[in-house]
């Protein structure tokens, strides 16, 4: 096993990477492309663990590591040829890594199962065949929201001006980031874009073949926008935003419906919505993947992590959880 700086990878290394990725559709997500990792590496160094039939891009700090793109990568994990088995501890020790934490590990790695502490749902939309195909697969709740979005699109056109959807907008990323930061502030969530490195990554991806910025306007008014990344028929729904001023038009659903309609022309058959069980994801999903949270560590560290996660889970389940959250926001 070798740990190679991303910038030192050879053509043969990239050929191995792409061959493994093409061997299994579970790695169709753009997060597993060399192009995504290249964009990440240009802002934060990536080292790649390479072996026979094995590729895993990582961020290494001292003797600790995380999957490349953390904490922004919504799917993580090594690319492994069929039949290849590995011992996570031995693998890491061979390249000087003592601990590796993950929070969006794609489920299904048998050798990493013992190190998984929690599993979460990551919904997706099968949009094969566009809107007609999608509405045949989604449940009644999702169909109803799509019908409502059509009606509200017409209402927005009457009230605000002609509705225009641009699937591949060439400007407006600044506005998306600003609206997303406003959303983080209003909900008390951690501001992902407080770190300039994360903003810069979006601009690099925007200028690449992976990035896709889509917008919906009604007259001169921006209703909603989304920036995501795409590869091999998969669009990852990453940073959706909407203008709160026009919230009564359900602008997020208007945008999502337009994207489903546009999917066949883009060659998109699946929209990954990312980890979480937000209401819109539950309604829009036609299926789901599973992602895992955990760490490969020493025995004592593993026990401590499990105890810590158990304590957090108990606190969330407590009747006073809402008051605790409010207190945390107050002093954040």
């Amino acid at each position: 096993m070798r740990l190679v700086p991303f910038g030192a990878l050879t053509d043969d290394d990239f050929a191995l990477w792409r061959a493994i990725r093409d061997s299994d559709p579970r790695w169709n997500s753009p997060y597993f492309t060399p192009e995504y990792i290249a964009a990440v590496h240009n802002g934060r160094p990536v080292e790649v663990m390479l072996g026979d039939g094995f590729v895993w891009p990582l961020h290494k700090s001292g003797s600790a590591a995380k999957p490349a793109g953390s904490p922004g990568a919504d799917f993580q994990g090594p690319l492994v040829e069929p039949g290849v088995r590995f011992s996570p501890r031995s693998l890491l020790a061979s390249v000087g890594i003592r601990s590796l934490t993950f929070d969006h590990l794609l489920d299904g790695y048998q050798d990493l199962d013992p190190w998984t502490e929690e599993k979460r749902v990551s919904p997706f939309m099968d949009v094969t065949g566009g809107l007609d195909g999608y509405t045949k697969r989604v449940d009644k709740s999702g169909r109803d929201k799509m019908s409502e979005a059509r009606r509200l699109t017409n209402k927005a056109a009457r009230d605000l001006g002609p509705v225009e959807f641009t699937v591949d907008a060439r400007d407006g990323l600044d506005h998306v980031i600003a609206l997303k930061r406003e959303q983080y502030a209003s909900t008390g969530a951690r501001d992902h874009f407080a770190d300039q490195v994360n903003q810069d990554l979006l601009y690099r991806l925007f200028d690449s073949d992976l990035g896709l910025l889509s917008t919906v306007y009604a007259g001169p008014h921006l209703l909603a926008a989304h920036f995501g990344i795409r590869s091999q028929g998969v669009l990852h729904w990453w940073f959706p935003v909407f203008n709160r001023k026009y919230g009564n038009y359900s602008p997020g659903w208007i945008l999502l419906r337009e994207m489903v309609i546009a999917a066949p022309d883009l060659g998109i058959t699946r929209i990954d919505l990312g980890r979480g069980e937000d209401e819109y994801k539950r309604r829009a999903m036609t299926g789901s993947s599973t992602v895992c949270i955990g760490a490969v560590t020493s025995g004592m560290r593993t026990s401590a992590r499990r105890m810590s996660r158990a304590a957090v889970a108990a606190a969330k389940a407590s009747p006073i959880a809402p008051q605790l959250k409010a207190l945390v926001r107050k002093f954040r």
Side-chain angles (χ1 to χ4, degrees):
M1 188 62 60
R2 299 176 292 143
L3 193 63
V4 182
F6 182 87
L9 293 178
T10 66
D11 289 344
D12 287 344
D13 295 330
F14 284 117
L16 170 67
W17 186 329
R18 292 191 171 93
I20 298 176
R21 182 168 181 259
D22 290 344
S23 71
D24 194 322
R26 66 176 167 156
W27 292 312
N28 282 354
S29 169
Y31 290 110
F32 293 103
T33 63
E35 292 77 14
Y36 169 73
I37 300 301
V40 170
H41 173 70
N42 284 336
R44 186 180 173 198
V46 171
E47 297 182 65
V48 182
M49 200 154 43
L50 284 173
D52 292 336
F54 188 98
V55 179
W56 198 353
L58 304 171
H59 294 304
K60 186 173 179 287
S61 177
S63 62
K66 293 182 178 181
S70 297
D74 286 349
F75 287 107
Q76 304 164 355
L79 290 92
V80 187
E81 285 183 347
V84 171
R85 298 294 303 275
F86 58 95
S87 166
R89 269 188 184 167
S90 299
L91 202 69
L92 296 178
S94 70
V95 293
I97 296 174
R98 297 182 60 186
S99 67
L100 190 156
T101 58
F102 50 84
D103 56 11
H104 287 80
L105 181 78
L106 191 62
D107 197 20
Y109 294 101
Q110 181 180 350
D111 295 309
L112 288 165
D113 275 349
W115 308 99
T116 294
E117 299 161 8
E118 188 177 347
K119 295 188 177 185
R120 302 273 186 89
V121 170
S122 184
F124 65 77
M125 301 165 64
D126 182 345
V127 296
T128 305
L131 187 61
D132 288 343
Y134 169 72
T135 53
K136 291 174 182 175
R137 285 182 289 270
V138 73
D139 65 19
K140 184 177 183 301
S141 177
R143 287 194 299 275
D144 288 347
K145 291 301 293 186
M146 286 291 159
S147 295
E148 180 184 46
R150 176 179 53 80
R151 293 192 298 271
L152 289 171
T153 298
N154 294 334
K155 177 174 171 53
R158 292 193 300 270
D159 296 348
L160 303 172
V163 173
E164 181 180 356
F165 170 65
T166 303
V167 68
D168 190 5
R170 299 322 304 160
D171 58 61
L173 187 55
D174 288 345
H175 202 174
V176 169
I177 291 174
L179 285 174
K180 201 66 183 178
R181 298 194 71 182
E182 288 177 12
Q183 178 185 324
Y184 291 140
S186 67
T187 60
R190 182 184 64 84
D191 184 353
H192 180 70
F193 293 117
D195 187 340
Q196 186 63 43
V197 169
N198 294 332
Q199 293 192 37
D200 293 342
L201 173 60
L202 256 64
Y203 287 106
R204 285 193 296 275
L205 290 169
F206 179 63
D207 290 333
S208 76
D209 291 336
L210 295 182
L212 185 68
L213 174 64
S214 304
T215 61
V216 172
Y217 279 82
H221 312 288
L222 176 67
L223 299 184
H226 166 258
F227 180 79
I229 50 179
R230 55 179 169 162
S231 174
Q232 289 185 284
V234 176
L235 170 66
H236 195 89
W237 199 251
W238 207 9
F239 294 107
V241 297
F242 67 92
N243 192 328
R244 290 176 173 271
K245 182 178 179 181
Y246 305 111
N248 57 314
Y249 295 101
S250 293
W253 279 99
I254 290 177
L255 176 62
L256 194 57
R257 179 176 180 271
E258 293 290 348
M259 187 60 72
V260 173
I261 293 171
D265 289 339
L266 294 172
I268 291 171
T269 57
R270 188 177 87 221
I271 299 177
D272 278 321
L273 298 174
R275 191 183 78 187
E277 298 182 79
D278 310 67
E279 181 185 359
Y280 88 89
K281 293 182 182 182
R282 292 197 302 270
R283 287 177 178 245
M285 64 186 284
T286 60
S288 65
S289 304
T290 302
V291 293
C292 308
I293 302 168
V296 181
T297 61
S298 65
M300 291 182 63
R301 289 183 181 181
T302 299
S303 298
R305 280 182 58 87
R306 291 185 188 278
M307 290 175 64
S308 176
R309 294 199 69 81
V312 171
K316 287 182 178 179
S318 167
I320 64 169
Q323 294 93 315
L324 290 174
K325 288 181 180 178
L327 188 63
V328 169
R329 290 195 187 103
K330 181 177 180 181
F331 292 99
R332 180 169 289 166

